[in-house]
Amino acid sequence: MNPGSNSQGIQALFEAEKEASKIVEQARKYRVEKLKEARLEANKEVERLQEEKNNQIKQVQLSSSELTKLENDMQNEVESKIKNIDELYNTNKSKAIELVLKATTDF
């Protein structure tokens, strides 16, 4: 064999190894970049879902506060009607007693 051809073969192997190393390095960089992108996308998705859940919680809390207000309004209305009935009773009690007595004594 020719010593020059051995040297050329070795040189070709070194060149091929360098090229393979470059390809492997590019593949690693590409993989790292894609992993970073995937993490960013996952973080964005997590943030979006958290915001969505927080909004749902706020709506439920708002509904709860509205329910409490409605309960208070209804309680106030019932108390007002009871007070009105009591006032009517106190106002008309004596008239009702008179009518009953008159109806029973007028035979």
Side-chain angles (χ1 to χ4, degrees), residues 63-98:
S63 296
S64 176
S65 67
E66 288 175 348
L67 182 60
T68 302
K69 183 185 179 313
L70 181 61
E71 287 173 352
N72 290 336
D73 290 347
M74 290 174 67
Q75 183 65 31
N76 291 337
E77 183 179 346
V78 167
E79 289 173 2
S80 174
K81 287 184 179 185
I82 289 173
K83 184 178 176 184
N84 188 28
I85 290 171
D86 284 342
E87 288 174 357
L88 288 173
Y89 168 77
N90 288 329
T91 302
N92 296 317
K93 174 173 63 171
S94 59
K95 290 179 187 174
I97 292 172
E98 285 178 29

Side-chain angles (χ1 to χ4, degrees), residues 3-66:
S5 72
N6 274 344
S7 160
Q8 278 182 332
I10 292 173
Q11 188 64 27
L13 284 174
F14 281 133
E15 291 298 320
E17 187 177 348
K18 284 181 184 178
E19 187 64 29
S21 291
K22 286 180 185 177
I23 292 171
V24 168
E25 184 62 30
Q26 287 175 344
R28 284 184 184 146
K29 286 180 183 179
Y30 180 78
R31 190 188 86 203
V32 167
E33 185 179 315
K34 287 299 176 185
L35 285 172
K36 285 180 184 178
E37 288 176 9
R39 277 191 202 116
L40 287 174
E41 281 297 314
N43 286 337
K44 286 179 184 178
E45 183 67 14
V46 166
E47 288 175 5
R48 185 188 67 77
L49 289 172
Q50 284 177 335
E51 185 176 336
E52 183 178 311
K53 291 299 177 185
N54 286 338
N55 288 337
Q56 289 175 352
I57 289 170
K58 286 178 185 177
Q59 287 177 344
V60 168
Q61 288 173 340
L62 182 63
S63 296
S64 176
S65 67
E66 288 175 348

